[in-house]
Amino acid sequence: MKEISVIVPVFNTGKYLQEAIESVLQQGIADMEVICVNDGSTDDSLHILETMAEKDSRIQVLSQPNQGQSVARNMALQHATGRYLYFMDSDDVLKPGCFAYCMAQMEKNHYDFVFFDGEVFCEEGTPNLVWGYERTGIYEENKVYVGKELMHSLLDNYTHRAVPWLLFVRHDHVKKLRLGFYPGIIHEDELFTTLLTIQSDSIGCVKQNYVKHRVRANSTMTHKYARRNVDCYLTVVGELIRWSREEHPEHRALIRKFARYTLDKVFHTAQVLPFKVKISLTWVMIRKKYTTFVSAKNWARFLLKN
């Protein structure tokens, strides 16, 4: 068993890959495995990974035909042996000291996971994000947060961010919850991190900015908004509603609150879609009985703005 399993899905990020992996290796953790899953890359990503693996035995390289980030992460989870998990994006940069400090906090306080902050840096020509990843300001270190209460707070303060690269997680806790990433969709992080947070009774805040998150052209985050984005968010909300209805009715109100938080923003953004797509999505929302999750103001913008 290793101390840490770092899980890195890789798809055509050869330009940034070495910097990303080196930022993990330079954390100074000898007893660590870096599981990189090449998800059918067509650039030089696989060659870069294999070259780095030859020089550092902590790197493991797995390959699969392109099936998406969820399947890649799930493959890595099947091979992970670490006591702790960290999910790294293959074009991000991890700042020094992250793993050592997070492990110390986990050991000291026996957390299920800790969360920390990140900063965004954009490639030239890429629009700036309208949201950020700094959310620890109102929380305290060395305090135990209960997941359902923390989720309420994050939603109330509009600081819920679903990305797993802001979390350092106890592996046996993920196993106990039988968590994985929903295949075949984008925005799959929303489902994983929400279920993880709500079902955790011991969460810690690390008031450090540990990740430099790269925003680049042609990534999921900057790709032109499309019908698929909305459909995938609807899948996430549907899975959470099903989970609360069939398994955990005590969380029904919180899941509906999450649905309002998420879908109201989704339909605000979706106002750029063609009118025929808007009509189709409106019928989907009516059929699923999700219309109350979107504010009247954003419904009007969605339907009337060209």
Side-chain angles (χ1 to χ4, degrees):
M1 176 179 286
K2 301 291 184 180
E3 283 294 307
I4 305 173
S5 295
V6 183
I7 290 175
V8 190
V10 179
F11 178 69
N12 288 349
T13 50
K15 182 179 178 181
Y16 318 101
L17 193 50
Q18 184 162 342
E19 181 183 18
I21 302 301
E22 285 182 350
S23 75
V24 173
L25 299 176
Q26 291 167 5
Q27 291 294 309
I29 307 296
D31 193 20
M32 173 178 69
E33 58 187 7
V34 185
I35 306 174
C36 302
V37 181
N38 173 51
D39 184 34
S41 296
T42 56
D43 66 354
D44 59 348
S45 293
L46 179 58
H47 175 71
I48 292 169
L49 291 174
E50 290 174 340
T51 300
M52 295 187 75
E54 289 175 0
K55 299 176 181 178
D56 196 313
S57 61
R58 291 175 292 179
I59 300 174
Q60 299 179 28
V61 181
L62 306 174
S63 282
Q64 65 178 28
N66 180 243
Q67 299 178 69
Q69 190 164 244
S70 291
V71 178
R73 283 176 173 160
N74 289 339
M75 174 186 279
L77 277 171
Q78 292 175 2
H79 290 80
T81 65
R83 294 175 60 224
Y84 300 106
L85 298 173
Y86 180 67
F87 297 95
M88 177 82 177
D89 276 8
S90 61
D91 53 356
D92 286 355
V93 179
L94 197 61
K95 296 182 182 180
C98 175
F99 288 171
Y101 191 77
C102 287
M103 277 202 300
Q105 290 294 98
M106 296 282 280
E107 294 296 322
K108 176 183 176 183
N109 298 292
H110 306 287
Y111 294 130
D112 296 325
F113 71 87
V114 296
F115 66 98
F116 42 85
D117 287 335
E119 66 181 76
V120 170
F121 66 109
C122 299
E123 286 187 337
E124 185 176 351
T126 303
N128 292 327
L129 296 183
V130 297
W131 68 89
Y133 295 101
E134 296 179 346
R135 56 185 182 156
T136 64
I138 65 172
Y139 304 106
E140 303 173 28
E141 283 204 7
N142 299 310
K143 177 179 178 179
V144 177
Y145 290 93
V146 176
K148 60 184 179 181
E149 297 170 1
L150 178 63
M151 181 61 75
H152 273 295
S153 176
L154 292 168
L155 295 175
D156 288 342
N157 289 283
Y158 296 93
T159 53
H160 171 62
R161 301 292 180 262
V163 291
W165 41 264
L166 292 180
L167 311 177
F168 191 83
V169 189
R170 191 178 299 277
H171 192 178
D172 60 7
H173 183 55
V174 172
K175 286 182 176 179
K176 181 182 73 174
L177 298 177
R178 294 181 293 177
L179 284 180
F181 291 86
Y182 194 97
I185 63 171
I186 53 178
H187 313 302
E188 74 288 339
D189 298 349
E190 298 276 353
L191 186 56
F192 178 89
T193 56
T194 300
L195 288 173
L196 173 66
T197 301
I198 292 174
Q199 296 180 94
S200 298
D201 294 324
S202 180
I203 302 170
C205 170
V206 170
K207 297 176 77 69
Q208 298 286 338
N209 190 317
Y210 274 138
V211 184
K212 295 176 67 176
H213 177 62
R214 190 188 309 271
V215 178
R216 55 187 173 85
N218 299 319
S219 68
T220 299
M221 188 174 297
T222 58
H223 199 273
K224 185 177 179 181
Y225 212 75
R227 168 71 185 259
R228 187 184 180 210
N229 294 86
V230 182
D231 285 339
C232 290
Y233 276 117
L234 291 175
T235 297
V236 169
V237 168
E239 285 297 307
L240 288 170
I241 289 175
R242 181 198 59 76
W243 173 82
S244 66
R245 182 180 63 245
E246 297 178 3
E247 300 178 45
H248 293 277
E250 71 275 17
H251 295 311
R252 183 173 181 269
L254 178 53
I255 293 302
R256 293 183 68 84
K257 185 176 185 176
F258 169 87
R260 287 191 296 272
Y261 175 93
T262 301
L263 292 183
D264 198 47
K265 292 190 299 180
V266 166
F267 275 77
H268 173 80
T269 307
Q271 63 188 276
V272 301
L273 295 177
F275 185 70
K276 287 184 178 180
V277 174
K278 293 180 181 182
I279 295 300
S280 175
L281 284 170
T282 300
W283 281 115
V284 170
M285 293 288 283
I286 293 171
R287 188 171 66 251
K288 290 181 177 290
K289 300 180 180 180
Y290 289 175
T291 53
T292 57
F293 296 145
V294 180
S295 66
K297 180 174 68 175
N298 279 332
W299 266 123
R301 286 175 173 169
F302 173 71
L303 289 171
L304 301 177
K305 185 170 181 180
N306 292 326

